[in-house]
Amino acid sequence: MSKINTITLSNFKFFGKEETINIDGKHLLLYGENGSGKSSLFWGVYTLLEASFKQSIETDKYFQPFGSNEESLVNIYATQQICPITHREHCNSCIKIDADDDTEYALSLLDSTICGSTNAQESRKATDFINYQSIFKFQDFKNSERPNLYEVFIYSVLPYITFTSFPIKDKTLTNAGAMWEEYKKGPGTTTNHKGDTIQVYKNSKEYTDFIKFEKHFNQNFEVLIDFINSHASDYVEKLGYNIKFELKYTAPSHVKKDKNYEWIPFCIDLIITSYNNQVVQIKKPQSFLNEAKMSAIAVAIRLATIDQRIGSAVPNALKVLILDDLMISLDMSNRDRLMDLLLNDFANRYQILFFTHDRMLYDFVYY
C-alpha cells in the first residue's frame, strides 16, 4: 500500500499559481470555507487518477485556456506561454502526486504519460472519492419514483470493480465497467448472403459466447450485490440507525433482431426491510426517511463497496479515501459515529483525506 506524500496543483481551477500540499503519507483533515479551494483539490486528484483510463486526446481539453473549451479546468487568470522544447502553447496548468514509494503521477497539456498507465489504473481502482453530491444521488428521486441506483453504479462503482475474467471477442475482460460497455455493444455483426450487415445468427458461436458472457456478468453482479447487502446494514447500525435494507438486482436483457441489437439496462432497487425492529417493505425510502438517514444508507453502501474492492487491489497501489463535506447532512452525534467508523475500520487500510467547510466539525474532529 502506497500513500500520497505531496499534491501539487498549478493554474488548476481555484489555484492560480503552483501550490504544493505536503501530507507525508499521513491522514489529512482540511478545513476551508466555501470557495477556498477544497473542491479543486478533490477534483484535481480525481482528474489525475481518472486520466489513467483515458487517452491524451480526452484529457487535453482540461488544460486548454479558460474560455476556449467548455470543459477547461484551467484557472481563469492563467496566461498562455510557449513550451521551449515542444513549442506547444500551454498555461502551465498541471496536477501532480508524489507517493511515498517514489512513484510520481502527473497530468498536463505537456505530460499525459499517466494515460493508460497500469499502475495508475490500479491506484484509481483502489482509491475512492466521496462528496456530498455523490451521496445525495442515492435520494435524488421524486416521491413517486422507485429509486433505481443504476446511474450510481455506472459512474461510481462498476468502473472500479473487478469481476472474474471472461474471454470474449479476442480479449479477456475483468473490469465490471468494461464488461457492461461490452454488453451494450451486443454479440456482433456478420454479412448475410445478400451482402447486408446483420446481427450474428442465434445458432452462431458468437451468439452462444455472448449468452455465456451475459450469464457470467449477471452472476458476478449478484455476488457484488450480495456482498453489499451482507455488509452495508452493519455500517448503518454503526452510524446509529436501526435500519436494515437490501439492494435488489434485476438483470439486464437484450433483444437481437436481424439488423438491430437493443439492450435494456439492469436495475438496482433500494428497499427498506426493517425499521426500528419492525419488518417493513418500503420501496420508496426517499419518501419515508429523512435526509440524514438516507445519507447514512448511501455512505454505508459506498463503504461496503470499498470493502469489496480492497480485496482485489494490488499491494503497491495508492489506497486513499478522499472525502469532501461528507457529513453535511448529518447531525453531530452521527458525525461522531462516522468519524469513529472511518478511524476504526478504514484508517489502517487507507490514507484518509477529509475536507470540510464546517469549522465546528473541524474543531470537533481535531480536538
Side-chain angles (χ1 to χ4, degrees):
M1 168 181 172
S2 59
K3 300 178 181 179
I4 296 174
N5 272 341
T6 64
I7 304 172
T8 299
L9 299 176
S10 175
N11 283 320
F12 180 85
K13 290 176 71 68
F14 170 86
F15 294 88
K17 60 179 181 178
E18 182 171 295
E19 299 281 358
T20 297
I21 299 176
N22 294 300
I23 307 174
D24 199 25
K26 300 176 183 177
H27 302 302
L28 174 66
L29 173 63
L30 180 65
Y31 162 76
E33 297 179 354
N34 289 330
S36 62
K38 299 187 313 301
S39 293
S40 295
L41 186 60
F42 179 94
W43 290 114
V45 181
Y46 176 87
T47 301
L48 175 63
L49 293 182
E50 278 288 304
S52 63
F53 291 104
K54 302 183 179 192
Q55 300 177 5
S56 60
I57 193 173
E58 298 175 274
T59 62
D60 282 356
K61 59 189 175 185
Y62 302 139
F63 300 98
Q64 293 172 357
F66 184 84
S68 63
N69 189 301
E70 292 182 351
E71 296 185 60
S72 173
L73 300 175
V74 173
N75 181 272
I76 188 172
Y77 299 111
T79 57
Q80 297 186 54
Q81 51 190 281
I82 303 295
C83 174
I85 299 175
T86 65
H87 303 292
R88 190 175 186 182
E89 288 189 0
H90 66 102
C91 295
N92 195 30
S93 177
C94 72
I95 314 162
K96 186 172 70 171
I97 284 177
D98 288 306
D100 60 0
D101 63 354
D102 294 326
T103 300
E104 178 183 292
Y105 299 117
L107 180 65
S108 70
L109 200 59
L110 303 179
D111 184 357
S112 57
T113 53
I114 193 173
C115 296
S117 166
T118 302
N119 289 338
Q121 289 174 354
E122 291 296 329
S123 290
R124 175 60 188 98
K125 288 188 288 185
T127 294
D128 212 355
F129 301 79
I130 310 177
N131 58 10
Y132 172 73
Q133 288 88 346
S134 65
I135 293 302
F136 185 73
K137 288 184 182 297
F138 283 79
Q139 54 190 295
D140 189 19
F141 301 97
K142 297 178 181 178
N143 288 337
S144 59
E145 294 178 325
R146 290 177 62 171
N148 176 9
L149 301 183
Y150 170 81
E151 295 289 341
V152 172
F153 273 72
I154 285 295
Y155 293 106
S156 300
V157 178
L158 291 190
Y160 317 109
I161 291 289
T162 298
F163 283 169
T164 55
S165 62
F166 193 92
I168 186 168
K169 297 179 184 176
D170 299 323
K171 55 191 172 187
T172 299
L173 300 178
T174 58
N175 179 264
M179 287 186 179
W180 176 239
E181 292 301 315
E182 188 65 37
Y183 182 83
K184 291 192 296 182
K185 295 176 183 177
T189 59
T190 187
T191 303
N192 65 10
H193 66 282
K194 297 180 180 180
D196 298 329
T197 299
I198 62 171
Q199 295 293 312
V200 295
Y201 297 104
K202 282 195 173 182
N203 60 355
S204 66
K205 181 180 184 303
E206 290 86 353
Y207 190 66
T208 300
D209 289 344
F210 183 77
I211 295 301
K212 293 178 181 178
F213 171 66
E214 181 181 53
K215 181 179 179 180
H216 176 87
F217 177 80
N218 288 326
Q219 287 175 337
N220 275 263
F221 213 138
E222 288 167 357
V223 170
L224 171 63
I225 295 299
D226 288 344
F227 183 93
I228 295 173
N229 285 338
S230 63
H231 288 73
S233 287
D234 291 339
Y235 284 137
V236 174
E237 183 177 353
K238 290 181 179 181
L239 292 174
Y241 295 113
N242 188 359
I243 302 172
K244 295 188 182 301
F245 66 90
E246 68 174 9
L247 300 180
K248 181 182 178 182
Y249 174 68
T250 302
S253 59
H254 70 273
V255 177
K256 189 190 76 64
K257 301 180 181 179
D258 286 343
K259 293 188 177 182
N260 299 315
Y261 168 80
E262 299 175 2
W263 56 273
I264 296 89
F266 60 83
C267 177
I268 301 178
D269 289 315
L270 172 60
I271 302 170
I272 307 300
T273 58
S274 175
Y275 185 80
N276 289 337
N277 296 321
Q278 180 177 345
V279 176
V280 295
Q281 276 286 309
I282 299 173
K283 298 181 179 180
K284 299 177 182 177
Q286 77 278 13
S287 299
F288 179 77
L289 303 177
N290 62 25
E291 185 175 350
K293 293 174 183 177
M294 284 297 298
S295 294
I297 290 173
V299 170
I301 292 173
R302 291 295 298 268
L303 294 181
T305 304
I306 293 170
D307 279 339
Q308 195 278 346
R309 285 163 49 182
I310 197 171
S312 62
V314 298
N316 63 337
L318 283 174
K319 296 183 178 68
V320 187
L321 291 185
I322 304 183
L323 312 174
D324 185 16
D325 272 333
L326 184 59
M327 302 184 182
I328 196 170
S329 63
L330 301 179
D331 59 32
M332 290 306 295
S333 62
N334 298 126
R335 294 176 180 186
D336 189 10
R337 293 188 180 99
L338 178 54
M339 187 54 63
D340 285 343
L341 174 58
L342 292 173
L343 294 177
N344 294 332
D345 290 38
F346 289 89
N348 63 329
R349 297 179 292 157
Y350 283 87
Q351 182 183 20
I352 299 175
L353 311 187
F354 191 96
F355 308 157
T356 180
H357 77 282
D358 188 332
R359 185 57 191 241
M360 290 182 61
L361 175 60
Y362 172 84
D363 291 339
F364 171 76
V365 175
Y366 184 77
Y367 296 106

